[in-house]
Amino acid sequence: MACPVNNTVELNPTLLPLEWLLGTWECDEPGEGSFPTIKPFRYTETLHFSHVGQPVINFMFNAFHAESKKPMHRECGFVRMQPGTNRVAFIIAQNSGLVEIEEGELTGQQLSLQSQQLARTSFAKEPYVKQICRVFQLRSDGKLEQTVSMATDNQPLMQHLRITYRRS
Ligand code: HEM
């Protein structure tokens, strides 16, 4: 869902290096989910990145079961850039009850992020996530790729998700 004022408000200049991320992205084929402790799975996902003229990008990520189409994982939040640098921060709330701050660097059209702060509800199910590493890359074929790796209480850092999207 595009922000209603998105078309009328100019992008804040701080965010120009991230302009390529803005818009709606639909996965072109189901993404692959895995982790040593779970059954491998497939999912679809839509990403929305918008702005309202502030030096902030607003985002929503909605994932669905590849076959049943039922809603699954959801995230929403904000992206900020440190003016004059390539430092980027993602401020994220997840429907699982996890909230996190990821920080990292923009290199060309690749964003590499690492979790700095993680918090969860007092009644979250174990295992707890200990670390998250996420990469967004706009490839030369125009597709956007996202990979997410995580470490939990009982597993070292390993890939959980890989998916590619096309601009819709
Ligand atoms: C399982 C974290 C995104 C689907 C898990 C587990 C954790 C986790 C901690 C349990 C692993 C275990 O039992 O050892 C995260 C984090 C995410 C994320 C931190 C984002 C940063 C997603 C997305 C999907 C997804 C986008 C897409 C549908 C699943 C499924 C399982 C799972 C199907 C296995 C069943 C279950 O335990 O619910 N995830 N996840 N996850 N995740 Fe994710």
Side-chain angles (χ1 to χ4, degrees):
M1 192 171 55
C3 168
V5 289
N6 198 18
N7 293 332
T8 56
V9 176
E10 272 192 32
L11 183 64
N12 190 287
T14 311
L15 295 174
L16 280 171
L18 283 174
E19 196 171 15
W20 54 273
L21 203 53
L22 288 169
T24 298
W25 298 88
E26 303 269 2
C27 64
D28 54 345
E29 55 189 47
E32 294 161 7
S34 57
F35 205 61
T37 45
I38 63 173
K39 221 174 100 192
F41 63 93
R42 284 154 32 100
Y43 68 104
T44 61
E45 191 172 42
T46 306
L47 312 182
H48 303 281
F49 294 95
S50 63
H51 74 95
V52 289
Q54 297 173 329
V56 179
I57 291 175
N58 313 305
F59 71 80
M60 289 187 293
F61 300 167
N62 296 327
F64 303 87
H65 192 279
E67 282 81 39
S68 74
K69 318 281 186 223
K70 282 195 176 160
M72 292 177 72
H73 187 87
R74 297 168 79 89
E75 301 178 42
C76 61
F78 306 96
V79 184
R80 301 192 65 100
M81 268 200 95
Q82 187 179 35
T85 75
N86 63 345
R87 297 289 301 164
V88 178
F90 272 54
I91 301 109
I92 309 173
Q94 304 193 7
N95 63 347
S96 57
L98 190 70
V99 295
E100 48 157 336
I101 292 177
E102 294 180 11
E103 287 188 21
E105 289 179 356
L106 175 66
T107 314
Q109 292 178 327
Q110 174 167 309
L111 263 172
S112 299
L113 303 156
Q114 293 87 37
S115 53
Q116 304 295 312
Q117 306 263 358
L118 290 170
R120 58 187 62 79
T121 56
S122 58
F123 47 88
K125 278 193 296 183
E126 290 181 7
Y128 293 162
V129 187
K130 291 289 185 205
Q131 188 190 355
I132 297 171
C133 293
R134 195 187 298 245
V135 178
F136 289 97
Q137 183 175 21
L138 183 63
R139 301 190 324 202
S140 52
D141 61 3
K143 289 184 181 172
L144 179 67
E145 178 178 292
Q146 181 182 191
T147 56
V148 175
S149 301
M150 66 178 175
T152 62
D153 288 335
N154 52 37
Q155 295 296 324
L157 189 66
M158 216 164 293
Q159 187 167 296
H160 182 35
L161 308 162
R162 184 182 175 279
I163 188 165
T164 54
Y165 316 84
R166 56 181 161 66
R167 201 182 273 286
S168 78

